[in-house]
Amino acid sequence: MWGKDDKYNRFNFEISSNGYYKIFQFNGNYTNLKDWTASDLVKKTDWNKVTIRKIDSRYYFYLNEKLIYTSDFYPFFGIRLVFRQSEYYNAGG
């Protein structure tokens, strides 16, 4: 999570244990920037490297050093940055 405020507003880049990723923002309602998408880049039994870059007015999202998505930049809700890991998360298809 990034750009989180002191409540629940935030941006998320999530990876599932069955090979999907999703990017969204929450500000009272969920808005998908990128809906659940299957990808061979997701390592199902190993660590994944997630990178988010802001260049000018664009976000660039990388998974294991490969560009997977770009979007417009949206202002942060706050300054909090959160890393979270769960043992199992099944998503998508």
Side-chain angles (χ1 to χ4, degrees), residues 1-3 10-15 22-24 33 49-55 58-74 76 80-83:
M1 288 180 245
W2 76 98
R10 67 196 184 273
F11 294 90
N12 279 53
F13 185 166
E14 297 186 353
I15 301 171
K22 178 180 184 174
I23 304 164
F24 68 90
L33 303 179
K49 180 180 179 182
V50 172
T51 306
I52 304 168
R53 293 187 176 143
K54 181 199 174 276
I55 301 172
R58 304 282 300 164
Y59 277 129
Y60 295 83
F61 298 89
Y62 297 81
L63 183 55
N64 296 315
E65 301 187 4
K66 302 288 185 190
L67 179 66
I68 58 168
Y69 186 67
T70 64
S71 80
D72 292 332
F73 171 75
Y74 299 95
F76 296 167
R80 289 179 169 81
L81 175 67
V82 179
F83 292 94

Side-chain angles (χ1 to χ4, degrees), residues 27-60:
N27 62 347
N29 294 301
Y30 288 95
T31 302
N32 287 332
L33 303 179
K34 179 73 173 166
D35 204 358
W36 284 115
T37 302
S39 175
D40 292 337
L41 293 173
V42 176
K43 297 177 184 175
K44 298 177 186 175
T45 59
D46 200 356
W47 294 99
N48 288 280
K49 180 180 179 182
V50 172
T51 306
I52 304 168
R53 293 187 176 143
K54 181 199 174 276
I55 301 172
D56 298 322
S57 61
R58 304 282 300 164
Y59 277 129
Y60 295 83

